Amino acid sequence: MDVSLSERVACEDVLMFVNAAIASTAQREFHSRASTQQMSLGFLHEYVLGNYRDLYAATAALEINHLNAAMVVTNLLRTASTASPEQRAVEGRLIAARLRLLPPQRVYSVFRELRRLGINNRRTRAIVRDWVAGRPDPAFDAVKYRRSLSVAARHAHLALPAEVGTVLFDWRRPKRYETPILEAWRRAHYDRRALYELPYTVAEGLAAQHGIDRSRFLKGIAPKLTDGERLRLQSAATRHEVGAVAMDLATVPLTRLAVYALSLSRPERQRRREELTGALRAAARRAARRQAGTWGRVVAVLDDSYSASGSGVKRRRPLAVALATHYLLEALAAEYTGLWLNHRGDPLLVHPIGATALGERILDGLEQRPDRLVVVSDGWDNAPPGQAAEVLRVWRTRLDPDQRTSIVHLNPVYDADTFDVRRLAPAVATVGVRDAEDVPALVELARFATGDAGLDELRRHLADRVDRFLTDDSGGQESP
């Protein structure tokens, strides 16, 4: 299909933004500072919002990460006056649906930003009101997100339940609250025993004020911990010998489980090999769902070079994505081979080391003539530089012009200098990835990344994703 230059540029612009919105969290990466990431990402949001507003809004229905979803919501509300009535109607539904998927703390940060920007029109107030009204337990929010809820209540003029309003703005006045969690929070300021009736994140600060020993506090608060909190506290629990914090790894999502596994020492991973491998494979089967075993013969080239160690704030994140993708592809494939750049043997013992020598391993993978070749790497091919691009060029033009082997590059690292994730070769689709669970959907999106599809086809794809997103949301959510 012939694609005009303007259409190709538009497709590249939108896909460049989608890659950034999936991969970038505006934090320090191995090759760039946080300030550079923030500036680059902010410019990209403004550029796509200004030139392709309808497509920018549609990305809220894709697998973009929480930071970028919050930025999309804020920017759409901030610039609502430039949108048509039809655009505002669709955007309103997308915003409401996306907010319901975001963690509460991220939504409250959006509300604080809207207040800072002075955005307080009727539609914004309605969005804030409906989201708060849809929260399952306002009293819980009044304790765990007290300051944020008070900001939202003031800004949107919310009508709150009586005791919730009191605890936000005049909590010392009542001698007793009828709502149990509010009464526990009031008593916890004076009675240490009441701490253990509160959520962990609230009780932690009060425990520090009371000078409670960390080990004793963790033992007491263990029954109140969520699965995510248990996972984050595993190392602290081990250090303080608090067995009550241990969790069932069968409930942990795939990528988060890979991050946890790589946080353990290699001897510890080896000792718990059976447990961790079983949990990773079970999580991969849950993520694969109906597609398990349907991808044919798959070969993966997985980057375990030194740059996969990530940064101080994203420790081993690129390596964890590669490890999680390894187990997911194993579940998706009928026949699977995983090729690490440096590691040999049990994937669970992988660690970041050495240069990024992608070319040779890609050649090893292509020699097997798979149905799919998946490369998971930050794209810094440097041993020697450009070898991977040349291997892929020769393969596409000389050895596989009919494209019997599908090739896709999944990149977990945003390159602030190019406003995109680094690509291996122009003819190979490259998409950003944050969580391995999203890989099946990202591979579907990858077909637009090589310049062969037109803007109309991309619009249809995004419109279909928006329809499915809004349909799923209306089917799974009660109207506030």
Side-chain angles (χ1 to χ4, degrees), residues 368-388:
Q368 300 185 35
R369 299 274 178 173
D371 299 313
R372 296 176 188 260
L373 176 74
V374 180
V375 181
V376 184
S377 170
D378 62 8
W380 287 84
D381 179 39
N382 54 23
Q387 185 183 55

Side-chain angles (χ1 to χ4, degrees), residues 70-71 73-75 77-78 105-120 124 148 151-152 155:
M71 291 176 70
V73 168
T74 302
N75 287 334
L77 291 173
R78 177 176 61 83
Q105 66 272 21
R106 185 71 74 176
V107 179
Y108 280 122
S109 73
V110 170
F111 295 163
R112 291 196 302 271
E113 179 66 4
L114 293 174
R115 184 191 184 193
R116 187 188 71 81
L117 295 171
I119 302 168
N120 196 27
T124 299
S148 296
V151 168
H155 189 58

Side-chain angles (χ1 to χ4, degrees), residues 92-218:
R93 295 179 63 201
L94 279 169
I95 288 170
R98 192 73 210 200
L99 289 179
R100 282 191 283 268
L101 292 179
L102 288 175
Q105 66 272 21
R106 185 71 74 176
V107 179
Y108 280 122
S109 73
V110 170
F111 295 163
R112 291 196 302 271
E113 179 66 4
L114 293 174
R115 184 191 184 193
R116 187 188 71 81
L117 295 171
I119 302 168
N120 196 27
N121 53 52
R122 185 173 62 181
R123 186 173 73 138
T124 299
R125 291 197 300 272
I127 287 171
V128 175
R129 181 196 66 226
D130 291 349
W131 184 85
V132 172
R135 294 292 294 156
D137 189 351
F140 176 87
D141 278 22
V143 169
K144 187 168 184 178
Y145 309 109
R146 182 168 176 265
R147 183 172 299 177
S148 296
L149 180 56
S150 65
V151 168
R154 284 194 182 101
H155 189 58
H157 314 300
L158 300 180
L160 297 170
E163 287 198 331
V164 172
T166 301
V167 83
L168 290 179
F169 303 112
D170 193 15
W171 74 270
R172 294 179 186 274
R173 179 170 55 82
K175 300 301 181 184
R176 178 178 177 82
Y177 289 98
E178 296 300 322
T179 308
I181 192 172
L182 300 184
E183 175 60 14
W185 182 78
R186 185 193 68 81
R187 288 190 295 110
H189 287 79
Y190 315 104
D191 182 358
R192 293 184 175 194
R193 292 170 298 180
L195 282 173
Y196 303 106
E197 302 173 34
L198 296 172
Y200 164 74
T201 50
V202 178
E204 186 177 33
L206 291 169
Q209 290 180 25
H210 286 299
I212 298 175
D213 177 73
R214 182 69 168 168
S215 176
R216 179 183 174 188
F217 170 67
L218 288 176

Side-chain angles (χ1 to χ4, degrees), residues 155-403:
H155 189 58
H157 314 300
L158 300 180
L160 297 170
E163 287 198 331
V164 172
T166 301
V167 83
L168 290 179
F169 303 112
D170 193 15
W171 74 270
R172 294 179 186 274
R173 179 170 55 82
K175 300 301 181 184
R176 178 178 177 82
Y177 289 98
E178 296 300 322
T179 308
I181 192 172
L182 300 184
E183 175 60 14
W185 182 78
R186 185 193 68 81
R187 288 190 295 110
H189 287 79
Y190 315 104
D191 182 358
R192 293 184 175 194
R193 292 170 298 180
L195 282 173
Y196 303 106
E197 302 173 34
L198 296 172
Y200 164 74
T201 50
V202 178
E204 186 177 33
L206 291 169
Q209 290 180 25
H210 286 299
I212 298 175
D213 177 73
R214 182 69 168 168
S215 176
R216 179 183 174 188
F217 170 67
L218 288 176
K219 288 177 182 176
I221 202 66
K224 285 286 186 178
L225 295 175
T226 65
D227 286 345
E229 289 166 347
R230 288 180 184 278
L231 186 62
R232 289 194 298 273
L233 288 170
Q234 290 300 293
S235 59
T238 301
R239 190 165 57 251
H240 293 284
E241 299 181 350
V242 183
V245 178
M247 68 169 300
D248 180 8
L249 296 181
T251 64
V252 183
L254 177 59
T255 304
R256 191 176 296 179
L257 183 56
V259 171
Y260 168 67
L262 292 178
S263 72
L264 303 174
S265 66
R266 296 183 79 196
E268 177 72 3
R269 279 182 260 167
Q270 192 160 15
R271 185 180 70 81
R272 299 174 58 186
R273 175 185 293 172
E274 185 175 346
E275 174 198 3
L276 294 171
T277 301
L280 285 162
R281 284 181 170 148
R285 287 193 296 271
R286 292 196 304 271
R289 291 178 290 186
R290 296 180 181 177
Q291 295 191 55
T294 64
W295 276 28
R297 295 175 60 247
V298 177
V299 172
V301 174
L302 305 158
D303 187 349
D304 61 348
S305 64
Y306 184 63
S307 61
S309 60
S311 65
V313 292
K314 301 177 75 173
R315 293 185 184 279
R316 294 173 290 272
R317 179 78 194 195
L319 186 63
V321 172
L323 181 63
T325 303
H326 164 81
Y327 285 103
L328 179 63
L329 294 176
E330 183 182 61
L332 290 169
E335 180 182 332
Y336 173 71
T337 303
L339 303 175
W340 296 89
L341 299 190
N342 301 294
H343 181 74
R344 304 293 184 271
D346 187 351
L348 190 63
L349 303 180
V350 68
H351 67 288
I353 189 172
T356 310
L358 288 169
E360 184 176 343
R361 293 306 267 167
I362 289 175
L363 188 58
D364 291 341
L366 290 172
E367 282 181 347
Q368 300 185 35
R369 299 274 178 173
D371 299 313
R372 296 176 188 260
L373 176 74
V374 180
V375 181
V376 184
S377 170
D378 62 8
W380 287 84
D381 179 39
N382 54 23
Q387 185 183 55
E390 185 62 13
V391 168
L392 291 167
R393 184 191 68 80
V394 172
W395 175 264
R396 274 283 180 252
T397 58
R398 303 280 184 86
L399 303 177
D400 187 25
D402 298 327
Q403 300 190 21

